[in-house]
């Protein structure tokens, strides 16, 4: 009997081991390593380099309202006519220019005619339609690629790439020289056309303003023209004129920089663009010491989730109190860009987990709080302080979450530059001011901001909950 008993126990041993192992696996799900979500594709949102090959098409407003800029012997307007071309040929590896006049229609002009732009006889048009330039530009594109007038608008513009700078690729920039004197209806139409034909197709719009000596008549007021003469030597009485520039952000900024460096440092500028900072603020410059030293609930881990330095990886050690991450980051605004109030930035939070459970994701997003403040550091440089607080008790155990956090100016935080407000005519008939300038600039600013929803910072990090 004893031998039979021992034999029965021996024969049932493999089954017992299997059952114990099965119980161990089912009862210890937390022992399985959590599967992280796929790492994000992180792009470099920068304006990129200037074009290698650039053709600048320069359009001169030939209306009689512009005549007063060339009547005095020497004016800022006359002085900039040559640099409009020379900074293109000297500032780009392969840069060339073409010249046009516009009024009721657009005409290409030769070099001799271009040299006569400083003469009164050039300005004979009684009406100017900037939209005619857009129609002309569209026809140039159609002619070049051989399509009919019925082709869709998306083929009507040249859209440069910011990802490559192929030396064989020729990019274009449109420069419109005008006093921007338009009624409210014209302003709304101009903003709408710039949006539909250029901004939505990946191009930027820039505006450079200068004040110049003036002696002449200002038309397009709907009533009798204004007779206006500036006071010699008093820039506050000079009349503004503008360069409305359409093209690639890097080319526009380089054009403005070169003009200002060639004797026009008093110019005022703004570029209506998706790019506000460079580089985009991220975790790339953050060191491990940026974790709150008094916070023992989170630690940095090194895993193979991602090797991108802009993506950090953390583990929740305990969830009794919120886990906190703080970072002090460089903030480098681009020159010429749109004006906005920095505080507070709007926050966009996207959370992901490998099983794509909607409840988990919603809770993960709700338990993350982000605050930021832009200030000057001890060296006088701009610094962005960002604090992340995670109430991790709401997170599921044995899970890895991926957070994508973006900071961006709110639509209502954008502001018209002070110089635009100072140069706007308002309700007064003042020849030293521009009609509807604020409406034009604010309209373009809002249109650009809504179209691109521009971000100034992007943060990516994995959070592992034990």
């Amino acid at each position: 009997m004893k031998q039979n008993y021992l034999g029965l126990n021996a024969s049932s041993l493999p089954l017992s081991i299997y059952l114990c192992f099965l119980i161990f696996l089912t009862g210890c799900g937390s022992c399985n390593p959590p599967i992280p979500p796929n790492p994000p594709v992180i792009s470099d949102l920068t304006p990129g380099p200037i074009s290698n090959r650039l053709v600048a098409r320069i359009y001169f407003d030939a209306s009689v309202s512009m005549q007063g800029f060339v009547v005095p012997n020497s004016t800022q307007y006359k002085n900039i006519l040559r640099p409009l071309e020379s900074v293109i040929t000297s500032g780009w590896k392969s840069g060339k220019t073409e010249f046009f006049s516009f009024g009721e229609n657009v005409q290409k002009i030769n070099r001799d005619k271009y040299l006569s732009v400083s003469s009164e006889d050039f300005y004979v048009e009684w009406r100017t339609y900037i939209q005619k330039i857009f129609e002309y530009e569209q026809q140039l594109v159609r002619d070049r690629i051989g399509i009919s007038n019925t082709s869709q608008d998306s083929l009507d513009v040249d859209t440069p790439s910011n990802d490559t700078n192929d030396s064989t690729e020729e990019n274009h920039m449109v420069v419109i020289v005008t006093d921007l004197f338009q009624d409210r209806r014209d302003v709304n139409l101009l903003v709408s056309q710039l949006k539909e034909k250029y901004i939505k197709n990946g191009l930027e719009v820039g505006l450079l303003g200068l004040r110049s000596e003036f002696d002449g008549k200002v038309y397009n007021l709907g009533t009798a023209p204004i007779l206006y003469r500036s006071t010699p030597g008093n820039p506050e009485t000079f009349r503004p004129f503008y360069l409305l520039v359409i093209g690639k952000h890097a080319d526009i900024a380089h054009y403005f920089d070169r003009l200002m460096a060639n004797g026009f440092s008093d110019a005022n500028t703004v570029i209506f663009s998706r790019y506000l900072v460079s580089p985009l603020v991220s975790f790339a410059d953050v060191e491990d010491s940026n974790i709150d030293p008094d916070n023992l609930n989170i630690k940095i881990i090194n895993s193979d989730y991602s090797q991108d330095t802009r993506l950090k990886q953390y583990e929740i050690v305990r969830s009794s109190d919120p886990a906190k991450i703080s970072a002090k980051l460089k903030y480098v605004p681009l020159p010429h860009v749109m004006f906005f109030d920095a505080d507070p930035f709007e926050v966009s939070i996207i959370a992901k987990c490998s099983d794509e459970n909607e409840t988990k994701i919603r809770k993960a997003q709700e338990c993350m709080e982000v605050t930021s403040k832009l200030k000057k550091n001890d060296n006088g440089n701009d610094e962005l302080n960002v604090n992340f607080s995670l109430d991790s008790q709401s997170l599921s155990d044995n899970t890895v979450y991926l957070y994508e956090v973006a900071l961006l100016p709110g639509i209502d935080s954008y502001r018209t530059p002070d110089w635009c407000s100072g140069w706007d005519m308002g309700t007064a008939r003042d020849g030293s001011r521009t009609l509807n300038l604020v409406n034009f600039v604010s309209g373009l600013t809002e249109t650009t901001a809504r179209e691109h929803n521009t971000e100034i910072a992007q943060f990516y990090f994995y959070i592992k909950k034990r």
Side-chain angles (χ1 to χ4, degrees):
M1 285 296 281
K2 184 175 182 180
Q3 289 180 344
N4 289 340
Y5 176 78
L6 290 174
L8 179 63
N9 280 324
S11 64
S12 62
L13 185 60
L15 179 61
S16 301
I17 294 174
Y18 175 77
L19 289 173
C20 289
F21 182 67
L22 183 62
I23 292 171
F24 171 79
L25 288 178
T26 57
C28 191
S30 61
C31 298
N32 297 325
I35 302 173
N38 293 327
V41 177
I42 307 176
S43 58
D44 289 312
L45 298 177
T46 64
I50 65 171
S51 301
N52 278 327
R53 302 180 62 211
L54 181 74
V55 176
R57 291 192 281 267
I58 304 176
Y59 294 82
F60 294 96
D61 184 342
S63 67
V64 289
S65 278
M66 299 291 290
Q67 200 174 74
F69 287 118
V70 300
V71 170
N73 292 328
S74 177
T75 68
Q76 278 281 76
Y77 180 81
K78 282 184 179 179
N79 293 339
I80 204 173
L81 295 178
R82 293 294 181 89
L84 290 178
E85 175 194 24
S86 64
V87 300
I88 295 292
T89 55
S90 64
W92 277 260
K93 184 176 180 180
S94 179
K96 61 181 181 180
T97 53
E98 298 173 352
F99 307 103
F100 306 81
S101 66
F102 74 97
E104 291 197 23
N105 293 291
V106 176
Q107 291 184 335
K108 188 171 185 177
I109 59 178
N110 58 28
R111 185 164 188 80
D112 289 339
K113 188 70 171 176
Y114 158 63
L115 295 176
S116 73
V117 172
S118 59
S119 169
E120 287 183 67
D121 296 337
F122 182 85
Y123 303 94
V124 295
E125 297 283 347
W126 290 99
R127 294 284 295 173
T128 55
Y129 298 99
I130 293 178
Q131 59 266 32
K132 295 284 187 178
I133 296 173
F134 305 153
E135 296 169 5
Y136 188 87
E137 282 286 313
Q138 291 169 3
Q139 189 59 51
L140 288 177
V141 176
R142 293 188 183 104
D143 292 345
R144 186 166 63 253
I145 62 178
I147 61 176
S148 69
N149 290 338
T150 59
S151 297
Q152 57 185 344
D153 283 348
S154 62
L155 297 177
D156 287 348
V157 298
D158 296 306
T159 306
S161 170
N162 285 328
D163 298 327
T164 63
N165 201 25
D166 188 345
S167 60
T168 63
E169 182 181 0
E170 182 178 86
N171 284 327
H172 299 83
M173 188 168 71
V174 172
V175 181
I176 303 170
V177 186
T178 179
D179 63 356
L180 273 181
F181 230 68
Q182 305 164 99
D183 62 28
R184 185 61 181 267
R185 184 183 63 178
D186 290 339
V187 164
N188 293 339
L189 177 62
L190 180 56
V191 170
S192 176
Q193 290 185 329
L194 286 169
K195 173 187 174 182
E196 295 300 321
K197 299 181 182 299
Y198 297 103
I199 295 172
K200 290 180 70 173
N201 287 291
L203 293 172
E204 278 74 48
V205 178
L207 185 68
L208 180 147
L210 274 169
R211 291 195 289 194
S212 173
E213 299 85 348
F214 186 89
D215 186 0
K217 295 179 180 180
V218 182
Y219 291 84
N220 295 347
L221 290 170
T223 57
I226 297 175
L227 265 174
Y228 186 73
R229 177 183 294 175
S230 61
T231 303
N234 184 1
E236 293 299 318
T237 67
F238 292 177
R239 177 165 169 70
F241 70 94
Y242 305 89
L243 307 183
L244 183 62
V245 186
I246 305 165
K248 179 180 172 181
H249 181 119
D251 290 329
I252 297 174
H254 189 56
Y255 191 51
F256 287 174
D257 288 340
R258 289 192 58 79
L259 285 171
M260 295 175 75
N262 278 266
F264 303 96
S265 58
D266 57 337
N268 289 302
T269 60
V270 59
I271 299 178
F272 307 94
S273 171
R274 79 199 79 181
Y275 307 109
L276 297 175
V277 296
S278 184
L280 199 68
V281 180
S282 74
F283 277 147
D285 297 323
V286 172
E287 300 176 356
D288 294 354
S289 58
N290 285 110
I291 292 184
D292 187 342
D294 297 325
N295 181 22
L296 303 177
N297 301 321
I298 189 171
K299 68 177 183 179
I300 288 181
I301 59 174
N302 294 314
S303 72
D304 57 359
Y305 297 158
S306 173
Q307 301 305 312
D308 195 311
T309 58
R310 292 167 295 181
L311 191 151
K312 295 294 182 181
Q313 303 167 47
Y314 304 99
E315 182 178 47
I316 301 296
V317 177
R318 61 187 185 193
S319 56
S320 56
D321 295 310
K324 296 181 179 180
I325 306 167
S326 62
K328 295 181 179 180
L329 303 137
K330 292 180 181 178
Y331 180 86
V332 185
L334 286 165
H336 314 296
V337 295
M338 301 183 297
F339 292 73
F340 59 88
D341 292 333
D343 295 320
F345 286 116
E346 289 189 356
V347 180
S348 168
I349 300 175
I350 298 175
K352 298 178 181 178
C353 59
S354 57
D355 61 6
E356 299 182 353
N357 183 289
E358 291 185 5
T359 302
K360 278 188 181 181
I361 291 173
R362 188 185 71 254
K363 287 183 177 180
Q365 290 179 174
E366 291 174 349
C367 70
M368 171 67 75
E369 182 180 352
V370 182
T371 59
S372 63
K373 188 171 184 60
L374 187 62
K375 67 177 187 177
K376 297 287 185 183
N377 61 21
D378 294 338
N379 296 322
N381 298 320
D382 288 326
E383 181 180 85
L384 183 63
N385 292 354
V386 186
N387 294 291
F388 305 85
S389 180
L390 182 66
D391 184 7
S392 55
Q393 294 186 73
S394 301
L395 300 180
S396 299
D397 292 338
N398 199 40
T399 304
V400 177
Y401 295 87
L402 172 64
Y403 279 94
E404 302 176 14
V405 178
L407 302 182
L408 59 160
I411 296 296
D412 294 335
S413 69
Y414 286 93
R415 298 288 178 262
T416 303
D418 290 341
W419 65 269
C420 292
S421 302
W423 290 10
D424 186 85
M425 181 177 285
T427 58
R429 288 170 58 87
D430 184 346
S432 67
R433 308 286 180 90
T434 301
L435 185 65
N436 286 313
L437 178 63
V438 166
N439 292 332
F440 177 63
V441 171
S442 61
L444 266 182
T445 299
E446 182 177 350
T447 294
T448 304
R450 290 189 182 280
E451 181 65 29
H452 296 302
N453 212 23
T454 298
E455 299 171 354
I456 60 97
Q458 289 181 346
F459 303 102
Y460 301 89
F461 49 94
Y462 283 109
I463 295 284
K464 178 180 178 182
K465 177 75 178 294
R466 289 180 177 179

